[in-house]
Amino acid sequence: MTSAFALPDHVAAKADPRLIADDESHFAAIADSLDHTVAELSERLDAERTADGGIGQAAMDRDQEVRRLSARLRTLRRFSLDLCLGRMDTTDGETVYVGRLGLTDREGTRLLVDWRSPAAEPFFGATHANPMGLSSRRRYRWTRGRVNDYWDEVFSPDEFEGHHAALDDQSAFVATLGSSRSPQMRDVLGTIQADQDAIIRAGSRGTLVVDGGPGTGKTVVALHRAAYLLHSDPRLGEGRGGILFVGPHQPYLAYVADALPSLGEDGVQTCTLRDLVPEAAKFPDEPDPEVARLKGTADMVGAIEPAVGLYEQPPEEGMEVDTQWADLWLSSADWAEAFGTADAGTPHNEARDEVWEELLTILVDKHEADEDVSEELVRRSLARNAELRAAFAKAWPLIEAGDLVGDLWEVPAYLRMCAPWLSPEEVKSLQRDDARAWTTADLPLLDAALRRLGDPDSSRRKQKHRAAVAAERQGMAQVVESLAAAGGDEYGEGLVSMLKVEDMQTHLVDEAALAEVDPDLLAGPFAHVVVDEAQELTDAEWQMLVQRCPSRSFTIVGDRAQARHGFTESWRERLERVGLDRVTMAGLTINYRTPEEVMAEAEPAIRVALPDANVPTSVRSSGHPVRHGSVGELDTILGAWLAEHDDGIACVIGDPTREDTTRVRSLTPTLAKGLEFDLVVLIDPDDFGVGIEGAVDRYVAMTRATQELVILTSS
C-alpha cells in the first residue's frame, strides 16, 4: 500500500517512522475494511433495489433500507481513509482511532469509533486541566486521501520526548483558522474544541441557548450538535420526528449544505423561515416598522383561531330537506350536534368531511325504516341534495389561508372582531389596498392559518381516494366471485370461503398505496429544532417553530449584540414569553475566526450602540492591519488580492450593483450574517443605517473577515 502520509518539506521531521509506523499499519487495516465494507454494502443495495418492493408497509421499509444503505455508501466513498479524524493514546496504553463513522474489520475488531460515541468524547473534551485519561492526542489534516500534516498534543511531561517532532507552536485548530475559505463551510470536525464539544454533547431535554459573539463557533456547534443528537439520542431517531435545522437565509444554507453529510448525517431537514410557507421566498421585507411590530407579536398569531372560528358557526335556524321518500327536518340543534363532532385537533378544511358525514347520519336516522329503501340509498340521495349542500357550504366553507389572512388586512370590522386589543389607529395601519401584497411580516400569520385550516383540497382528494378504494374492492369482489364460480376445487374451498368474507377483501386492498399526497417534510412535528441566528426572530416567528416541536426541545444559537432590532431583555425572558420555559444557558467567549486587528475596529462600532455587548476575545493575529481607502480603489484592491491568492473567497458588502464572480461575492450585511470570507471589503459602512440596525450591520459585516478587512468610503 502507498504511504498514507504526504508531508511537505517543512514538516519532514514528522515523517520519522518511529512516529507514524503505527498509523501506517492502522490505515492499511482501515483501507482493507473499507474495500470489504463498500463491496458488501453495494451488493446489499443492489439486492434491495432489484427485490420485489411489495406494497404498503413493506414498500416503505424497503425504501428506508435503500436510503440507509445509500447514505452509508456515499459517506464511505466520499472520505475513504480520511474518515479517520485522529487518535487517542490513553494512560492505560490503549490507542483509539476516532472517525466520522464507526468501522470494524471482518473479525469484528474496532478500527474507528464514531465521533459521536461516548468512547470518542476525550478526543474533543480533554484539556491539560482535565486529560480525561489521555496521555496524548493526535489530529490529522487530510488532502486528497493522504495526511499532509498532523499535530500531537501531550498531557503529561514524560510524553514529550516521544512526540517532540510532531509538537507544533500552533495547535491543529489554530493552524486551520488561517486557511483559505471556500464557497462552502470548511470541515472542522477534527478540531472541535473542548468548550464547543461540551455544548454539542449536552442533553436534548428542554431548551439549550448557546450565546456567543462573532467567530466563537456558534454555527459549528449548531451543526455538529444536530448530527450528534440524531445519532446519540434515541428520542430523536428514525420515526420519532427527527430534527429541523433553521438558518437565517438561503446563502447561509448553501454555505453549510455540505456540513451535515460530512458529519455522517443526511436525515436533518434544513430550511429558513420563508421555506415554511409556500412561495414565501418572493416576499419582500416589511417596509413599515409599526406594521412589522404589530404583526410580529404572538397575540396577532392568536387572532387566527377566532378568525377561523367565525366560519364554524352552526346555523341558528333549521331547514327542511327533501328526499324522494320523505321530507326531513334538520333543526338548529341537529346542526350544532354535527358541528360538535369535529375533533379539536383536526384542521378546519379536513374536519369538513367529518361534519358532513355526521350531518348525513343525523338525517338518515330521522328517516323511517323501509324494507325497500336501504340506509345507504338514503345517504346517497341526501349527499346529492343541492339545497343541503349549499347550506352546508355556507355554514362550513372551504377556506384558503391567503383569503383568511387577506380579509384581516382588508376588512376592518373582521380584524377588530379577531384582534379586539388593537386600537382604531392600529387597525387602520394594518389595512391595505392589495390584501395579498405579502411581506415577511405576514409569514407567521400565513403559517398559522395554513396549519389551522389545512389543505382546502383535502376533501376532494379524500373523495377521490374513497372512489379508488371502492373500485379496487369491487375488482377484488369480482375476482372472488370468479374463483367461486370455477368451483373452488383447484384452490381449495377454504380459500374461496375466506376470500368471500368482506373483512378479508378489505385487507387485500392496500389503501395506503393509493394515497396521492406526499407528506410535507417541514410540517412536523419534529422531536428537536435547532435555530441559528435566533436573536432575530420575533415572537410571532417563534410560534412557527414552537408549533412544530411539541416536546419544546430546542437548541437556540445566537448573539444578542447582533440583533438588528435590539434585544434588551434576557434570553430566558424572551423564550419564556413564547412558550419555552425549560431554558439552560451556555456561553462561547473565544473568537476563533476574526483576527484581533479586525476586532479592534469592530468592537467600537458595536459599543457605540450597545455598551454592554458581549464582544469575544480573539485568539490570533492575521498580521494584516485594517485598511481604509476610497470606493474608487475597489477594483484595484480586488485585482491585487486575486493575483496574490490562488484560493480563498472575498466579499464586497454594501454595493448592490456589483455582481458575484467565482471568488468574489457581493452581499448585503443581512445576507452576510453567518458567513465568513478571507477578505471583506465594506463600501460606505456609515450608509448602512443609524441606531441599533446600523451599528449591528456594521459589526456583522466587519466580523465576517478571517484575514483582511478593507473599508472604503465615497467621500
Side-chain angles (χ1 to χ4, degrees), residues 13 22 87 139 173 177 186 202 220 245 325 456 527 531 566 621 630 662:
D22 289 345
R87 58 180 269 189
R139 304 177 193 258
F173 177 68
L177 298 179
R186 293 176 303 116
V220 166
F245 188 101
W325 305 282
V531 190
S621 168
S630 67
T662 305

Side-chain angles (χ1 to χ4, degrees), residues 86-97:
R87 58 180 269 189
M88 306 178 287
D89 294 295
T90 72
T91 54
D92 296 332
E94 182 185 8
T95 298
V96 178
Y97 287 81

Side-chain angles (χ1 to χ4, degrees), residues 496-519:
V496 173
S497 298
M498 288 176 63
L499 289 174
K500 281 188 173 183
V501 177
E502 183 177 354
D503 284 347
M504 181 59 73
Q505 294 179 36
T506 298
H507 290 310
L508 290 172
V509 178
D510 184 13
E511 297 189 27
L514 298 173
E516 296 182 345
V517 183
D518 292 328

Side-chain angles (χ1 to χ4, degrees), residues 8-23:
D9 291 341
H10 72 279
V11 293
K14 294 184 180 182
D16 187 331
R18 292 173 297 176
L19 291 171
I20 63 175
D22 289 345
D23 286 350

Side-chain angles (χ1 to χ4, degrees), residues 37-312:
T37 303
V38 167
E40 182 184 47
L41 288 174
S42 297
E43 284 185 19
R44 289 169 57 188
L45 181 59
D46 289 342
E48 288 289 345
R49 283 173 169 165
T50 57
D52 181 8
I55 59 175
Q57 186 61 45
M60 293 174 63
D61 291 342
R62 196 280 301 266
D63 290 346
Q64 182 177 333
E65 181 65 4
V66 167
R67 286 194 297 270
R68 188 188 70 80
L69 293 172
S70 299
R72 177 83 173 182
L73 269 174
R74 280 196 303 271
T75 302
L76 294 177
R77 286 169 171 162
R78 170 181 177 173
F79 288 103
S80 188
L81 275 182
D82 47 358
L83 279 171
C84 185
L85 303 170
R87 58 180 269 189
M88 306 178 287
D89 294 295
T90 72
T91 54
D92 296 332
E94 182 185 8
T95 298
V96 178
Y97 287 81
V98 179
R100 299 175 185 280
L101 299 173
L103 188 70
T104 58
D105 64 16
R106 276 172 270 194
E107 286 71 43
T109 302
R110 177 65 65 182
L111 299 175
L112 292 173
V113 298
D114 193 296
W115 71 272
R116 294 161 291 193
S117 69
E121 189 170 355
F123 182 75
F124 303 98
T127 65
H128 289 277
N130 179 22
M132 300 177 70
L134 300 190
S135 60
S136 66
R137 170 173 56 198
R138 174 172 292 182
R139 304 177 193 258
Y140 306 110
R141 177 187 284 175
W142 296 87
T143 302
R144 291 183 290 276
R146 301 180 74 188
V147 177
N148 74 338
D149 207 351
Y150 68 93
W151 295 265
D152 282 355
E153 187 175 6
V154 299
F155 297 98
S156 59
D158 57 350
E159 294 290 331
F160 274 90
E161 185 174 350
H163 294 273
H164 64 279
L167 296 171
D168 203 287
D169 291 335
Q170 289 184 312
S171 71
F173 177 68
V174 175
T176 65
L177 298 179
S179 60
S180 298
R181 267 47 185 177
S182 66
Q184 289 194 312
M185 185 178 185
R186 293 176 303 116
D187 174 26
V188 296
L189 174 56
T191 54
I192 291 293
Q193 297 299 281
D195 60 338
Q196 298 171 330
D197 186 63
I199 296 172
I200 290 168
R201 295 175 186 268
S204 68
R205 295 186 183 277
T207 298
L208 175 67
V209 177
V210 184
D211 184 82
T216 54
K218 298 187 300 298
T219 296
V220 166
V221 166
L223 290 164
H224 288 69
R225 180 163 165 77
Y228 171 79
L229 289 177
L230 197 60
H231 176 270
S232 304
D233 192 329
R235 299 185 308 111
L236 312 181
E238 189 71 37
R240 295 176 176 83
I243 294 179
L244 177 68
F245 188 101
V246 183
H249 47 67
Q250 282 300 329
Y252 168 95
L253 291 185
Y255 178 61
V256 304
D258 194 46
L260 286 165
S262 77
L263 298 175
E265 291 295 348
D266 58 4
V268 177
Q269 296 298 327
T270 61
C271 71
T272 69
L273 287 175
R274 289 174 181 263
D275 296 323
L276 300 179
V277 175
E279 301 183 2
K282 303 174 184 177
F283 293 0
D285 290 335
E286 173 55 57
D288 188 328
E290 177 63 8
V291 170
R293 182 188 70 81
L294 291 172
K295 292 184 180 180
T297 64
D299 284 343
M300 189 59 74
V301 176
I304 295 299
E305 180 59 37
V308 176
L310 292 173
Y311 290 98
E312 296 180 350

